[in-house]
Amino acid sequence: MDYFFTEGDGIFEGDNARDHRARIVDNWFQEHEGSFTHLILPPQDPDFNPIAVLWDVLQRELGAETNLSLYIEDLGDKLLLLWSKIFIQTLHKLI
């Protein structure tokens, strides 16, 4: 986070999974609390993970692409384009 967000303006979004709430993890976040904002999502139904649903949507859309570049920068641009095309209705269903 310090490398990419040198101004301390990065945001880390935690999914509040039990494995990610270990004391050592909480201590690390407390030690680095000035380096970025740490958002903690409310507990979710363990059978429903909205982030995984969005990744599945992106993966399907990316898999449907026929002309993908081998350059990581191009892949990042493609993912941002696909992300911007996800219908707002899909996002509302997941909230």
Side-chain angles (χ1 to χ4, degrees), residues 36-83:
F36 55 90
T37 300
H38 182 203
L39 299 176
I40 300 174
L41 297 175
Q44 297 286 329
D45 176 348
D47 296 327
F48 177 72
N49 183 342
I51 296 171
V53 172
L54 288 174
W55 275 117
D56 287 342
V57 170
L58 278 174
Q59 183 177 5
R60 274 186 308 221
E61 294 294 324
L62 192 62
E65 292 291 321
T66 57
N67 190 18
L68 286 177
S69 171
L70 297 176
Y71 296 101
I72 192 71
E73 294 85 3
D74 294 338
L75 179 60
D77 291 342
K78 178 58 77 173
L79 286 170
L80 285 173
L81 178 65
L82 293 173
W83 173 259

Side-chain angles (χ1 to χ4, degrees), residues 6-46:
T6 58
E7 303 295 319
D9 56 349
I11 299 174
F12 179 87
E13 184 176 304
D15 61 6
N16 211 14
R18 187 173 55 206
D19 296 347
H20 303 156
R21 302 296 302 160
R23 186 173 300 131
I24 192 169
V25 174
D26 286 338
N27 290 343
W28 187 89
F29 278 115
Q30 286 177 359
E31 291 170 13
H32 296 88
E33 66 185 350
S35 299
F36 55 90
T37 300
H38 182 203
L39 299 176
I40 300 174
L41 297 175
Q44 297 286 329
D45 176 348

